[in-house]
PDB file of all heavy atoms in Angstrom:
ATOM      1  N   ILE A   6     -74.985-136.870-196.104  1.00 98.00           N
ATOM      2  CA  ILE A   6     -74.088-136.137-195.218  1.00 98.00           C
ATOM      3  C   ILE A   6     -72.808-136.945-195.032  1.00 98.00           C
ATOM      4  O   ILE A   6     -72.857-138.126-194.661  1.00 98.00           O
ATOM      5  CB  ILE A   6     -74.782-135.863-193.870  1.00 98.00           C
ATOM      6  CG1 ILE A   6     -76.002-134.941-194.090  1.00 98.00           C
ATOM      7  CG2 ILE A   6     -73.807-135.234-192.875  1.00 98.00           C
ATOM      8  CD1 ILE A   6     -76.841-134.695-192.853  1.00 98.00           C
ATOM      9  N   LEU A  14     -64.270-133.317-195.225  1.00 98.00           N
ATOM     10  CA  LEU A  14     -64.568-132.668-193.938  1.00 98.00           C
ATOM     11  C   LEU A  14     -63.332-132.003-193.345  1.00 98.00           C
ATOM     12  O   LEU A  14     -63.446-131.182-192.434  1.00 98.00           O
ATOM     13  CB  LEU A  14     -65.111-133.703-192.940  1.00 98.00           C
ATOM     14  CG  LEU A  14     -66.494-134.273-193.244  1.00 98.00           C
ATOM     15  CD1 LEU A  14     -66.813-135.401-192.267  1.00 98.00           C
ATOM     16  CD2 LEU A  14     -67.555-133.182-193.164  1.00 98.00           C
ATOM     17  N   GLY A  47     -77.847-126.971-187.298  1.00 97.00           N
ATOM     18  CA  GLY A  47     -76.938-126.277-188.205  1.00 97.00           C
ATOM     19  C   GLY A  47     -76.242-127.278-189.101  1.00 97.00           C
ATOM     20  O   GLY A  47     -76.212-128.478-188.820  1.00 97.00           O
ATOM     21  N   ILE A  48     -75.700-126.764-190.206  1.00 98.00           N
ATOM     22  CA  ILE A  48     -74.973-127.614-191.154  1.00 98.00           C
ATOM     23  C   ILE A  48     -74.051-126.708-191.961  1.00 98.00           C
ATOM     24  O   ILE A  48     -74.354-125.522-192.148  1.00 98.00           O
ATOM     25  CB  ILE A  48     -75.962-128.394-192.065  1.00 98.00           C
ATOM     26  CG1 ILE A  48     -75.238-129.490-192.861  1.00 98.00           C
ATOM     27  CG2 ILE A  48     -76.742-127.452-192.982  1.00 98.00           C
ATOM     28  CD1 ILE A  48     -76.189-130.465-193.569  1.00 98.00           C
ATOM     29  N   ALA A  49     -72.938-127.268-192.410  1.00 98.00           N
ATOM     30  CA  ALA A  49     -71.999-126.496-193.223  1.00 98.00           C
ATOM     31  C   ALA A  49     -71.797-127.211-194.559  1.00 98.00           C
ATOM     32  O   ALA A  49     -71.892-128.442-194.643  1.00 98.00           O
ATOM     33  CB  ALA A  49     -70.664-126.359-192.483  1.00 98.00           C
ATOM     34  N   GLN A  52     -70.092-130.549-195.270  1.00 98.00           N
ATOM     35  CA  GLN A  52     -70.766-131.770-194.814  1.00 98.00           C
ATOM     36  C   GLN A  52     -71.577-132.434-195.920  1.00 98.00           C
ATOM     37  O   GLN A  52     -71.923-133.611-195.790  1.00 98.00           O
ATOM     38  CB  GLN A  52     -71.664-131.476-193.606  1.00 98.00           C
ATOM     39  CG  GLN A  52     -70.861-131.119-192.350  1.00 98.00           C
ATOM     40  CD  GLN A  52     -71.782-130.858-191.189  1.00 98.00           C
ATOM     41  OE1 GLN A  52     -72.309-129.762-191.044  1.00 98.00           O
ATOM     42  NE2 GLN A  52     -71.988-131.870-190.358  1.00 98.00           N
ATOM     43  N   GLU A 100     -71.976-131.348-177.278  1.00 96.00           N
ATOM     44  CA  GLU A 100     -72.279-131.092-178.681  1.00 96.00           C
ATOM     45  C   GLU A 100     -72.361-132.393-179.448  1.00 96.00           C
ATOM     46  O   GLU A 100     -71.690-133.364-179.107  1.00 96.00           O
ATOM     47  CB  GLU A 100     -71.157-130.270-179.345  1.00 96.00           C
ATOM     48  CG  GLU A 100     -71.152-128.839-178.946  1.00 96.00           C
ATOM     49  CD  GLU A 100     -70.073-128.029-179.665  1.00 96.00           C
ATOM     50  OE1 GLU A 100     -69.596-128.435-180.744  1.00 96.00           O
ATOM     51  OE2 GLU A 100     -69.714-126.976-179.120  1.00 96.00           O
ATOM     52  N   GLY A 101     -73.143-132.361-180.503  1.00 97.00           N
ATOM     53  CA  GLY A 101     -73.143-133.450-181.459  1.00 97.00           C
ATOM     54  C   GLY A 101     -72.868-132.891-182.840  1.00 97.00           C
ATOM     55  O   GLY A 101     -72.745-131.679-183.013  1.00 97.00           O
ATOM     56  N   CYS A 102     -72.763-133.776-183.807  1.00 98.00           N
ATOM     57  CA  CYS A 102     -72.475-133.346-185.177  1.00 98.00           C
ATOM     58  C   CYS A 102     -73.111-134.344-186.138  1.00 98.00           C
ATOM     59  O   CYS A 102     -72.994-135.554-185.923  1.00 98.00           O
ATOM     60  CB  CYS A 102     -70.968-133.281-185.390  1.00 98.00           C
ATOM     61  SG  CYS A 102     -70.500-132.778-187.060  1.00 98.00           S
ATOM     62  N   LEU A 103     -73.761-133.832-187.177  1.00 98.00           N
ATOM     63  CA  LEU A 103     -74.402-134.722-188.153  1.00 98.00           C
ATOM     64  C   LEU A 103     -73.383-135.621-188.849  1.00 98.00           C
ATOM     65  O   LEU A 103     -73.743-136.673-189.374  1.00 98.00           O
ATOM     66  CB  LEU A 103     -75.174-133.892-189.196  1.00 98.00           C
ATOM     67  CG  LEU A 103     -76.377-133.121-188.659  1.00 98.00           C
ATOM     68  CD1 LEU A 103     -76.898-132.165-189.722  1.00 98.00           C
ATOM     69  CD2 LEU A 103     -77.476-134.063-188.198  1.00 98.00           C
ATOM     70  N   SER A 104     -72.114-135.229-188.840  1.00 98.00           N
ATOM     71  CA  SER A 104     -71.069-136.036-189.478  1.00 98.00           C
ATOM     72  C   SER A 104     -70.464-137.073-188.531  1.00 98.00           C
ATOM     73  O   SER A 104     -69.620-137.871-188.944  1.00 98.00           O
ATOM     74  CB  SER A 104     -69.960-135.131-190.035  1.00 98.00           C
ATOM     75  OG  SER A 104     -70.477-134.337-191.080  1.00 98.00           O
ATOM     76  N   ILE A 105     -70.889-137.017-187.251  1.00 98.00           N
ATOM     77  CA  ILE A 105     -70.427-137.999-186.251  1.00 98.00           C
ATOM     78  C   ILE A 105     -71.684-138.509-185.548  1.00 98.00           C
ATOM     79  O   ILE A 105     -71.919-138.232-184.375  1.00 98.00           O
ATOM     80  CB  ILE A 105     -69.423-137.353-185.258  1.00 98.00           C
ATOM     81  CG1 ILE A 105     -68.349-136.561-186.003  1.00 98.00           C
ATOM     82  CG2 ILE A 105     -68.780-138.425-184.370  1.00 98.00           C
ATOM     83  CD1 ILE A 105     -67.422-135.740-185.093  1.00 98.00           C
ATOM     84  N   ARG A 114     -66.409-123.604-175.590  1.00 98.00           N
ATOM     85  CA  ARG A 114     -66.482-122.628-176.700  1.00 98.00           C
ATOM     86  C   ARG A 114     -66.460-121.223-176.118  1.00 98.00           C
ATOM     87  O   ARG A 114     -66.831-121.007-174.960  1.00 98.00           O
ATOM     88  CB  ARG A 114     -67.807-122.787-177.461  1.00 98.00           C
ATOM     89  CG  ARG A 114     -68.014-124.122-178.123  1.00 98.00           C
ATOM     90  CD  ARG A 114     -67.278-124.232-179.420  1.00 98.00           C
ATOM     91  NE  ARG A 114     -67.618-125.462-180.130  1.00 98.00           N
ATOM     92  CZ  ARG A 114     -67.007-125.852-181.241  1.00 98.00           C
ATOM     93  NH1 ARG A 114     -66.044-125.116-181.786  1.00 98.00           N
ATOM     94  NH2 ARG A 114     -67.353-126.984-181.820  1.00 98.00           N
ATOM     95  N   VAL A 141     -73.246-122.688-181.757  1.00 97.00           N
ATOM     96  CA  VAL A 141     -73.584-123.264-183.067  1.00 97.00           C
ATOM     97  C   VAL A 141     -72.733-122.622-184.158  1.00 97.00           C
ATOM     98  O   VAL A 141     -72.189-123.307-185.034  1.00 97.00           O
ATOM     99  CB  VAL A 141     -75.093-123.086-183.379  1.00 97.00           C
ATOM    100  CG1 VAL A 141     -75.417-123.617-184.765  1.00 97.00           C
ATOM    101  CG2 VAL A 141     -75.935-123.805-182.343  1.00 97.00           C
ATOM    102  N   HIS A 144     -69.203-123.961-184.012  1.00 98.00           N
ATOM    103  CA  HIS A 144     -69.169-125.340-184.522  1.00 98.00           C
ATOM    104  C   HIS A 144     -69.219-125.343-186.059  1.00 98.00           C
ATOM    105  O   HIS A 144     -68.421-126.031-186.712  1.00 98.00           O
ATOM    106  CB  HIS A 144     -70.363-126.106-183.926  1.00 98.00           C
ATOM    107  CG  HIS A 144     -70.474-127.524-184.386  1.00 98.00           C
ATOM    108  ND1 HIS A 144     -70.340-128.596-183.535  1.00 98.00           N
ATOM    109  CD2 HIS A 144     -70.730-128.058-185.608  1.00 98.00           C
ATOM    110  CE1 HIS A 144     -70.494-129.725-184.212  1.00 98.00           C
ATOM    111  NE2 HIS A 144     -70.743-129.423-185.476  1.00 98.00           N
ATOM    112  N   GLU A 145     -70.139-124.551-186.629  1.00 98.00           N
ATOM    113  CA  GLU A 145     -70.305-124.574-188.093  1.00 98.00           C
ATOM    114  C   GLU A 145     -69.128-123.889-188.803  1.00 98.00           C
ATOM    115  O   GLU A 145     -68.690-124.350-189.859  1.00 98.00           O
ATOM    116  CB  GLU A 145     -71.636-123.921-188.505  1.00 98.00           C
ATOM    117  CG  GLU A 145     -72.895-124.558-187.916  1.00 98.00           C
ATOM    118  CD  GLU A 145     -72.983-126.067-188.087  1.00 98.00           C
ATOM    119  OE1 GLU A 145     -72.369-126.608-189.030  1.00 98.00           O
ATOM    120  OE2 GLU A 145     -73.654-126.715-187.266  1.00 98.00           O
ATOM    121  N   ASP A 147     -66.103-123.797-187.704  1.00 98.00           N
ATOM    122  CA  ASP A 147     -65.031-124.795-187.640  1.00 98.00           C
ATOM    123  C   ASP A 147     -65.091-125.736-188.844  1.00 98.00           C
ATOM    124  O   ASP A 147     -64.053-126.092-189.416  1.00 98.00           O
ATOM    125  CB  ASP A 147     -65.143-125.631-186.349  1.00 98.00           C
ATOM    126  CG  ASP A 147     -64.306-125.061-185.199  1.00 98.00           C
ATOM    127  OD1 ASP A 147     -63.584-124.071-185.403  1.00 98.00           O
ATOM    128  OD2 ASP A 147     -64.388-125.628-184.088  1.00 98.00           O
ATOM    129  N   HIS A 148     -66.310-126.160-189.218  1.00 98.00           N
ATOM    130  CA  HIS A 148     -66.443-127.069-190.367  1.00 98.00           C
ATOM    131  C   HIS A 148     -65.821-126.450-191.627  1.00 98.00           C
ATOM    132  O   HIS A 148     -65.266-127.164-192.464  1.00 98.00           O
ATOM    133  CB  HIS A 148     -67.919-127.363-190.650  1.00 98.00           C
ATOM    134  CG  HIS A 148     -68.495-128.506-189.858  1.00 98.00           C
ATOM    135  ND1 HIS A 148     -68.012-129.786-189.933  1.00 98.00           N
ATOM    136  CD2 HIS A 148     -69.540-128.550-188.988  1.00 98.00           C
ATOM    137  CE1 HIS A 148     -68.736-130.579-189.145  1.00 98.00           C
ATOM    138  NE2 HIS A 148     -69.664-129.843-188.560  1.00 98.00           N
ATOM    139  N   VAL A 152     -62.274-128.364-189.276  1.00 98.00           N
ATOM    140  CA  VAL A 152     -62.148-128.712-187.854  1.00 98.00           C
ATOM    141  C   VAL A 152     -63.464-129.331-187.374  1.00 98.00           C
ATOM    142  O   VAL A 152     -64.548-128.823-187.675  1.00 98.00           O
ATOM    143  CB  VAL A 152     -61.815-127.449-187.019  1.00 98.00           C
ATOM    144  CG1 VAL A 152     -61.826-127.758-185.526  1.00 98.00           C
ATOM    145  CG2 VAL A 152     -60.456-126.887-187.444  1.00 98.00           C
ATOM    146  N   LEU A 153     -63.357-130.441-186.640  1.00 98.00           N
ATOM    147  CA  LEU A 153     -64.534-131.094-186.068  1.00 98.00           C
ATOM    148  C   LEU A 153     -64.479-130.960-184.544  1.00 98.00           C
ATOM    149  O   LEU A 153     -63.396-130.774-183.974  1.00 98.00           O
ATOM    150  CB  LEU A 153     -64.562-132.566-186.470  1.00 98.00           C
ATOM    151  CG  LEU A 153     -64.631-132.785-187.995  1.00 98.00           C
ATOM    152  CD1 LEU A 153     -64.448-134.263-188.328  1.00 98.00           C
ATOM    153  CD2 LEU A 153     -65.945-132.279-188.566  1.00 98.00           C
ATOM    154  N   TYR A 154     -65.635-131.088-183.891  1.00 98.00           N
ATOM    155  CA  TYR A 154     -65.651-130.838-182.437  1.00 98.00           C
ATOM    156  C   TYR A 154     -64.726-131.773-181.666  1.00 98.00           C
ATOM    157  O   TYR A 154     -64.186-131.396-180.625  1.00 98.00           O
ATOM    158  CB  TYR A 154     -67.080-130.842-181.875  1.00 98.00           C
ATOM    159  CG  TYR A 154     -67.708-132.195-181.646  1.00 98.00           C
ATOM    160  CD1 TYR A 154     -67.386-132.968-180.530  1.00 98.00           C
ATOM    161  CD2 TYR A 154     -68.653-132.697-182.526  1.00 98.00           C
ATOM    162  CE1 TYR A 154     -67.974-134.204-180.315  1.00 98.00           C
ATOM    163  CE2 TYR A 154     -69.241-133.926-182.325  1.00 98.00           C
ATOM    164  CZ  TYR A 154     -68.902-134.681-181.223  1.00 98.00           C
ATOM    165  OH  TYR A 154     -69.480-135.905-181.013  1.00 98.00           O
TER     166      TYR A 154
HETATM  167 NI1   NI B   1     -71.092-130.568-187.204  1.00 81.75          NI
END
Side-chain angles (χ1 to χ4, degrees):
I6 296 175
L14 291 173
I48 192 169
Q52 291 181 277
E100 286 183 22
C102 179
L103 294 170
S104 294
I105 312 172
R114 298 280 187 186
V141 177
H144 179 115
E145 301 310 335
D147 267 356
H148 274 300
V152 174
L153 299 172
Y154 79 78

